[in-house]
Amino acid sequence: MILSPRGVEDILPAKTSQYQWIEKEASFLFSLYGYEEIRIPTFERTELFSRSVGEETDVGKQMYTFLDKKGRSLTLRPEATASVVRAYLQHKVYAQPGEWKVYYMGPMFRYERPQAARMREFRQIGVEVIGEVNPYLDVELIEMGAQFFKKVGVTDFSIQLNSIGCKKCRVPYEIKLTEYLKNNLGSLCSLCQRRSQYNPLRVLDCKRKSCQSILRKAPSTREYLCEDCQSHFKKVKMGLEDIGLKFELNPRLVRGLDYYTRTVFEFVSSLLGAQDTVCAGGRYDELVQELGGPPTPALGFAIGVERLLAILEKKGIEPPSKGFPLIYIATLDEESQIMGSRIAALFRSQGIRSWLNLSERSLSSQLKVAHKREIRWVMIIGEKEIKEKKFILRDMQSGEQEGIEWDRLKELGKKLK
Ligand SMILES: [Zn+2]
Ligand SMILES: [Zn+2]
């Protein structure tokens, strides 16, 4: 037997309904804010990610990179922002007036150590806005994230907020931070020691207790913000306060990717244990230019779908039922199968999901199938029923059954639940 590779999993029908529900809620809500869906490729030229995500970041190191048959280096997308920006540039969207608001959903790939709610293939739902610098857009984006979580029943999250400044103010800050880390190098974990050389900012979110006690006293990005970044951040905070959305300032929130600037935020749930971030995002005002476009501010966020589903499971939240009744049509021989298929067509045209038995199972074994699959309605078509053109409808919940004439079958859609 061939098993799936480590770190990927099948989403079986019992679970796809949850994904569909989440995706439907997201696309509906995002469209209320003016977003439209974009579908980006699953793999890109490696260069796109090494220039955006950064090769020395965690994500950069976890990329699935391979050579194709012509020896070109390609990478399975580890995230979607870089592809969206690439599409923005490739299709010259910047030539159109107004900002570009898109959302996406789909699988991402990272070579990680598999653990609960962290797989090598995982799904993200995310949004990007390209072309607007207004801080109230940051506020709207965060508010939209909060609305989404509320919509699916998740209310116990905290919003962590920080500003990590721009190119201009990050340089003096990184000098100060590197100096501080150097002075405390002996007390930091080995990962932090390495990071302090190539990506000092990332040291700040080390989860180790021993590192955290050192990092608590480290200089904070916010003390070094330039005037523009300061005023931007002030307005973001004001805007959030204005709409009554609670947030916590977290000076050690820096995000794991190279391209972030200014506002960064995370939605954190206490229900998730160590993997507590369920949504993360921020501004990336320099990325469009970095990838060869005109200077263009941008921002976005991504929701980890598996992490969100883990929260829903812990809270016992189930997607609402599809709303269409399901009926199992039990048949006994070829003649009743032919009649059954006519009845099934009649049902389907009324929006009744109809499962026609085409096996040679006995009636009692067919009823067992319906029972096991929790199908409430069963229609039984036997010789006598065909002759009388009156078919037995059984309610598996109550055990009651009644005869239904052909003419009444046409209106059964209104009756069944
Ligand atoms: Zn700045
Ligand atoms: Zn550390």
Side-chain angles (χ1 to χ4, degrees), residues 57-71:
T57 58
D58 287 359
V59 176
K61 286 178 178 167
Q62 290 163 342
M63 293 195 305
Y64 270 95
T65 297
F66 57 96
L67 296 179
D68 73 1
K69 292 194 175 180
K70 288 225 164 120

Side-chain angles (χ1 to χ4, degrees), residues 112-285:
E112 298 200 69
R113 199 166 56 84
Q115 48 187 298
R118 174 176 280 192
M119 301 296 279
R120 288 178 177 166
E121 180 184 30
F122 58 98
R123 281 144 203 89
Q124 283 188 340
I125 295 176
V127 299
E128 314 288 354
V129 197
I130 305 180
E132 183 51 62
V133 72
N134 192 327
Y136 295 119
L137 195 57
D138 308 31
V139 175
E140 189 190 73
L141 191 80
I142 297 170
E143 189 258 344
M144 183 171 80
Q147 285 295 345
F148 170 73
F149 286 114
K150 278 181 203 155
K151 196 104 194 285
V152 296
V154 178
T155 46
D156 34 10
F157 54 78
S158 79
I159 298 169
Q160 308 274 307
L161 186 70
N162 196 17
S163 173
I164 57 173
C166 62
K167 220 184 242 161
K168 203 166 71 188
C169 48
R170 183 108 41 90
V171 176
Y173 171 69
E174 282 193 346
I175 294 173
K176 272 281 171 228
L177 177 65
T178 309
E179 204 175 286
Y180 178 84
L181 296 175
K182 217 167 166 187
N183 291 337
N184 292 279
L185 206 61
S187 319
L188 294 170
C189 73
S190 58
L191 181 63
C192 284
Q193 290 185 2
R194 263 178 286 134
R195 276 179 175 166
S196 68
Q197 298 186 7
Y198 61 80
N199 194 350
L201 217 55
R202 275 291 281 171
V203 174
L204 290 177
D205 72 351
C206 180
K207 299 279 190 285
R208 279 182 196 243
K209 277 222 169 75
S210 53
C211 292
Q212 280 191 350
S213 69
I214 307 265
L215 296 170
R216 221 162 285 149
K217 286 169 228 137
S220 125
T221 49
R222 292 208 306 278
E223 296 161 28
Y224 288 83
L225 297 181
C226 66
E227 226 169 280
D228 285 349
C229 288
Q230 254 181 46
S231 119
H232 186 99
F233 195 52
K234 202 173 142 197
K235 285 187 176 163
V236 173
K237 288 186 290 183
M238 257 168 42
L240 289 172
E241 277 159 10
D242 252 13
I243 56 169
L245 197 56
K246 287 202 174 67
F247 58 90
E248 288 168 29
L249 292 176
N250 180 350
R252 283 177 300 285
L253 180 68
V254 290
R255 305 293 309 124
L257 306 168
D258 272 359
Y259 53 66
Y260 280 108
T261 53
R262 289 191 172 169
T263 315
V264 287
F265 60 88
E266 286 187 0
F267 285 70
V268 168
S269 165
S270 54
L271 293 168
L272 278 182
Q275 304 296 330
D276 56 0
T277 303
V278 64
C279 170
R283 279 204 165 263
Y284 48 93
D285 290 340

